[in-house]
Amino acid sequence: MYDICCIGHITHDKVVTTKSVVHMAGGTSFYFSNAIRNMHIKYTLVTALSRKDIHFVSDLRAKGIDVNVLPSTYTVYFENIYSGNMDHRTQRVPQTADPFTVEQLVDVQAKIFHLGPLLAHDIPVELIKDLASRGIVSLDVQGYLRKVENEKVLAIDWTDKREALPYIDILKANEFEMEVLTGVKDVREGAKILTDWGVKEVVITLGSQGSVLYKDDVFYEIPAFLPKTIEDATGCGDTYMAGYLYQRLQGAALQDAGEFAAAMATIKIESSGPFTGSKEDVVKMAAHGRKVMAVNI
């Protein structure tokens, strides 16, 4: 029995700029795994990728991360091409991975299953229902809101949301994803709609404006922490959820879990690549970091 099991594809990311071409691992499962490994719990990652990209898994295992690799014809491949202006990006997805199935996960037991789909077809509703019968289900919803068509990423609504959401205990979305799901911009109204649809605990991240949690008709406003520098925001949401789920697993109250998660995300954004800090680093940031409270949430 694991404390937390993350289910999601590791991506092969190709980043092309005017100065270089870099290949690296990525995806929700990659950043979440790197962050949670420092929290001293029994953790496993279930992922799927092609044989030629198995070195990404070897790198995680070398860090002490338990990884269960399922076969896939291809690895999810994201190609990000930047012009001289780094704000302008052209994204292609030349290949996608095979979806996960109920049969593949039948023997995996965990207290919390954290789902990190990257694309709409990655984790079918049948698997969500099956996992919900065995443990708490946490979901980062972003992948259900995008699909690939002719190698382009298209924004979509989640077709099966009303069927799936009653089986989701904890749902994480940013404010834009919340709006797509619910049709409203107001964070509090959106959180209420999601709970009306069956979600037990809602996590809405707002970037530099902090985050909002909602459970049992109570809102919790979580401040952001002011970083010393901003180096790399990639994977901040995944790092936040690693900290949040770790704290909730330990029995922490929502406010405390949210502030721990926010502090962890701030440490992540101060350096490139995945989170490499310790629990002690996060506790120190949460206790002494400069908080930035959001306005008019």
Side-chain angles (χ1 to χ4, degrees):
M1 170 69 75
Y2 293 98
D3 292 316
I4 298 178
C5 169
C6 180
I7 302 169
H9 295 103
I10 295 174
T11 64
H12 180 158
D13 291 348
K14 178 181 179 182
V15 180
V16 181
T17 69
T18 55
K19 296 181 179 179
S20 65
V21 177
V22 179
H23 293 263
M24 65 186 75
T28 294
S29 64
F30 173 79
Y31 287 99
F32 184 92
S33 296
N34 273 281
I36 202 72
R37 74 183 178 93
N38 294 317
M39 296 297 113
H40 309 296
I41 62 170
K42 192 171 183 183
Y43 171 76
T44 191
L45 165 64
V46 177
T47 192
L49 72 175
S50 68
R51 285 181 176 273
K52 70 181 183 65
D53 290 316
I54 199 68
H55 60 280
F56 291 143
V57 170
S58 301
D59 292 343
L60 292 178
R61 286 174 172 163
K63 296 177 179 179
I65 299 170
D66 184 270
V67 187
N68 182 355
V69 183
L70 301 174
S72 178
T73 306
Y74 301 105
T75 300
V76 182
Y77 193 128
F78 280 91
E79 183 179 79
N80 299 306
I81 304 173
Y82 293 90
S83 63
N85 176 6
M86 288 298 287
D87 290 332
H88 181 265
R89 180 184 71 178
T90 302
Q91 186 175 68
R92 294 175 59 247
V93 183
Q95 60 190 39
T96 62
D98 299 332
F100 297 97
T101 67
V102 172
E103 292 73 24
Q104 289 174 326
L105 277 295
V106 68
D107 294 326
V108 180
Q109 300 296 328
K111 296 174 184 176
I112 299 176
F113 293 97
H114 181 58
L115 311 184
L118 298 172
L119 298 167
H121 75 285
D122 286 354
I123 301 176
V125 175
E126 291 74 18
L127 179 53
I128 293 177
K129 293 179 179 179
D130 182 75
L131 295 173
S133 70
R134 290 185 269 150
I136 293 169
V137 177
S138 168
L139 170 66
D140 187 325
V141 76
Q142 64 173 338
Y144 286 118
L145 305 181
R146 58 191 184 198
K147 70 174 183 177
V148 174
E149 196 170 281
N150 298 322
E151 299 189 355
K152 294 182 179 180
V153 179
L154 303 179
I156 60 170
D157 193 4
W158 183 10
T159 306
D160 299 323
K161 62 187 178 185
R162 297 299 295 272
E163 179 183 358
L165 289 177
Y167 297 90
I168 303 300
D169 295 282
I170 304 170
L171 182 138
K172 180 263 182 188
N174 63 29
E175 68 267 42
F176 307 109
E177 293 159 350
M178 180 212 70
E179 183 180 352
V180 172
L181 280 173
T182 64
V184 300
K185 290 186 177 182
D186 183 83
V187 172
R188 289 174 177 260
E189 185 180 353
K192 288 180 178 180
I193 290 172
L194 290 169
T195 57
D196 287 344
W197 289 347
V199 177
K200 285 74 174 176
E201 193 166 317
V202 178
V203 178
I204 307 295
T205 57
L206 306 167
S208 63
Q209 294 295 300
S211 52
V212 172
L213 313 177
Y214 183 61
K215 181 180 174 67
D216 296 333
D217 297 322
V218 179
F219 284 99
Y220 303 83
E221 293 188 9
I222 309 301
F225 289 85
L226 188 66
K228 297 174 183 175
T229 182
I230 298 177
E231 292 294 331
D232 180 9
T234 306
C236 278
D238 306 317
T239 303
Y240 181 107
M241 285 307 294
Y244 185 76
L245 293 179
Y246 166 72
Q247 285 287 291
R248 294 294 283 143
L249 187 68
Q250 307 305 310
L254 271 75
Q255 187 71 33
D256 294 334
E259 293 196 16
F260 183 93
M264 198 163 166
T266 295
I267 294 172
K268 155 68 196 82
I269 206 172
E270 291 178 341
S271 61
S272 296
F275 178 86
T276 58
S278 66
K279 176 183 175 182
E280 291 69 30
D281 294 331
V282 181
V283 171
K284 183 178 179 181
M285 172 68 77
H288 304 293
R290 182 180 171 189
K291 297 179 179 179
V292 182
M293 293 301 297
V295 180
N296 296 326
I297 291 179

